[in-house]
Amino acid sequence: MDKEKLDDEFEKLWNETPASHSNAEKEASWKQFHSKTFAPKKKKFKPWRYYAAAAVLLFVLIGTGIYFNGESPSENIVLAGNVIENTTSTIKHIVLPDNSKVELSPNSKISFGDNFALNRKVEIDGEAHFKVTKDKQHPFQVFCDETTTTVLGTCFTVKESENEEIIVELFEGSVQMNVKGQDQKWILKPGEKFTYANQTASVTEFSRFIDFDNEKLAVINSYIEENYGYKVILPKGYQNQKITIRINKKEDLKTIVQLISEMYNLNYEINEELKQITFQ
């Protein structure tokens, strides 16, 4: 039996321990046992491979240890205290009290309570993309019309269209979908889209990546400017350099910048005031 299977078997046996100890005690004891028994081997660090993996496979890093509390959508969700509205024509970036990040689309708004650290519930009107900080003790819930998205730590988009169609697209991790008045639950995997309209729910696949196949760096520059709002300045002669890469459509901008920096041995500077990235 290889190490990975042995790990799985040990963890299954460990989790069958009678419930006389708290979950926190069991988890801490397991981590202590695992670290002593299977000491990690040192490997040579290769930065460009690290960033390439991060750019392509970031979605799997947050997808483990997801727990769902099984709550159904509340009949009357009242989230007073904090209302953030985007009345501009560009995406508004918000950091919630638990450090979760929200990209709020134009003509959209979110609301949440003052006790957000203990009651991580957000109500949305419009469209927003969420990157949730993991917290096993406090599930993160997003309420949009009659739907509820429940998660601990993941990356997803919730959108309510003008015709009251609700769409949830999952980029990383795993989420549970509920509809008010229905017992059925839908568990989404990365790359799946939940659609609710006319009292009917469905789950389909969507493309969460964008591919650049032997494209000029100038094309990547345009993509960054259109999707992140940052102007990219490259040294003379680099605009026509070719690149082949697959990027998660909701990838963190800094990860993309670091990847380009490593691939072409360039330094970079990000000017937040000017919304400008300069490579040199």
Side-chain angles (χ1 to χ4, degrees), residues 247-264:
I247 297 176
N248 189 317
K249 291 179 180 178
K250 291 301 180 180
E251 185 62 88
D252 182 77
L253 174 60
K254 192 171 183 179
T255 300
I256 300 175
V257 172
Q258 288 175 329
L259 176 60
I260 295 173
S261 172
E262 292 292 336
M263 291 178 68
Y264 293 94

Side-chain angles (χ1 to χ4, degrees), residues 69-119:
N69 63 358
E71 293 181 358
S72 297
S74 301
E75 294 297 325
N76 296 296
I77 302 299
V78 179
L79 302 175
N82 302 278
V83 177
I84 301 177
E85 189 170 1
N86 185 3
T87 58
T88 72
S89 60
T90 60
I91 291 176
K92 186 172 186 177
H93 296 268
I94 302 163
V95 179
L96 296 174
D98 68 339
N99 290 322
S100 293
K101 298 178 181 179
V102 182
E103 295 177 6
L104 189 62
S105 295
N107 304 314
S108 301
K109 67 178 180 180
I110 59 172
S111 58
F112 53 93
D114 292 328
N115 61 337
F116 188 78
L118 300 177
N119 187 26

Side-chain angles (χ1 to χ4, degrees), residues 5-277:
K5 292 183 178 179
L6 187 61
D7 279 358
D8 291 340
E9 292 299 320
F10 266 114
E11 190 162 10
K12 287 179 182 178
L13 291 172
W14 182 263
N15 288 329
E16 292 176 359
T17 303
S20 58
H21 298 285
S22 68
N23 289 334
E25 290 174 327
K26 290 192 292 184
E27 184 175 355
S29 182
W30 164 253
K31 289 181 178 178
Q32 182 181 14
F33 166 76
H34 186 276
S35 63
K36 290 181 178 180
T37 308
F38 304 110
K41 296 180 180 179
K42 293 184 178 180
K43 295 182 179 180
K44 185 177 180 181
F45 179 67
K46 297 182 178 180
W48 70 269
R49 289 187 179 178
Y50 168 79
Y51 293 124
V56 178
L57 299 174
L58 181 63
F59 64 91
V60 301
L61 301 181
I62 312 177
T64 57
I66 298 298
Y67 160 81
F68 303 106
N69 63 358
E71 293 181 358
S72 297
S74 301
E75 294 297 325
N76 296 296
I77 302 299
V78 179
L79 302 175
N82 302 278
V83 177
I84 301 177
E85 189 170 1
N86 185 3
T87 58
T88 72
S89 60
T90 60
I91 291 176
K92 186 172 186 177
H93 296 268
I94 302 163
V95 179
L96 296 174
D98 68 339
N99 290 322
S100 293
K101 298 178 181 179
V102 182
E103 295 177 6
L104 189 62
S105 295
N107 304 314
S108 301
K109 67 178 180 180
I110 59 172
S111 58
F112 53 93
D114 292 328
N115 61 337
F116 188 78
L118 300 177
N119 187 26
R120 301 201 302 167
K121 298 180 186 296
V122 178
E123 189 170 11
I124 177 176
D125 182 4
E127 178 179 359
H129 178 75
F130 296 84
K131 195 155 192 176
V132 179
T133 298
K134 184 180 291 187
D135 183 346
K136 292 184 178 181
Q137 303 302 319
H138 305 98
F140 190 104
Q141 291 186 305
V142 177
F143 299 90
C144 185
D145 197 13
E146 296 184 338
T147 68
T148 302
T149 305
T150 303
V151 68
L152 285 176
T154 192
C155 181
F156 60 97
T157 297
V158 179
K159 179 181 180 180
E160 181 181 20
S161 63
E162 293 182 355
N163 60 356
E164 298 184 349
E165 181 182 61
I166 309 298
I167 297 175
V168 178
E169 293 180 334
L170 181 63
F171 290 86
E172 303 169 7
S174 181
V175 298
Q176 172 180 294
M177 298 301 306
N178 297 75
V179 174
K180 185 168 64 176
Q182 297 189 25
D183 294 330
Q184 184 176 355
K185 299 179 178 64
W186 294 263
I187 307 297
L188 302 188
K189 298 180 295 184
E192 289 187 334
K193 175 174 66 175
F194 175 88
T195 303
Y196 180 74
N198 300 320
Q199 298 184 331
T200 301
S202 63
V203 176
T204 56
E205 294 184 349
F206 76 100
S207 176
R208 58 201 163 106
F209 297 106
I210 182 169
D211 293 309
F212 297 91
D213 187 10
N214 201 32
E215 297 277 8
K216 294 180 180 180
L217 271 178
V219 177
I220 300 288
N221 294 354
S222 299
Y223 174 79
I224 291 175
E225 188 167 353
E226 292 172 4
N227 291 274
Y228 296 90
Y230 284 74
K231 182 179 180 181
V232 179
I233 299 176
L234 285 167
K236 186 177 180 180
Y238 277 81
Q239 290 282 350
N240 293 325
Q241 290 282 343
K242 296 298 184 67
I243 187 171
T244 296
I245 189 174
R246 165 173 281 193
I247 297 176
N248 189 317
K249 291 179 180 178
K250 291 301 180 180
E251 185 62 88
D252 182 77
L253 174 60
K254 192 171 183 179
T255 300
I256 300 175
V257 172
Q258 288 175 329
L259 176 60
I260 295 173
S261 172
E262 292 292 336
M263 291 178 68
Y264 293 94
N265 195 28
L266 294 171
N267 295 319
Y268 67 89
E269 180 182 352
I270 301 178
N271 189 317
E272 296 294 348
E273 291 185 4
L274 298 177
K275 296 295 181 182
Q276 181 172 290
I277 302 167

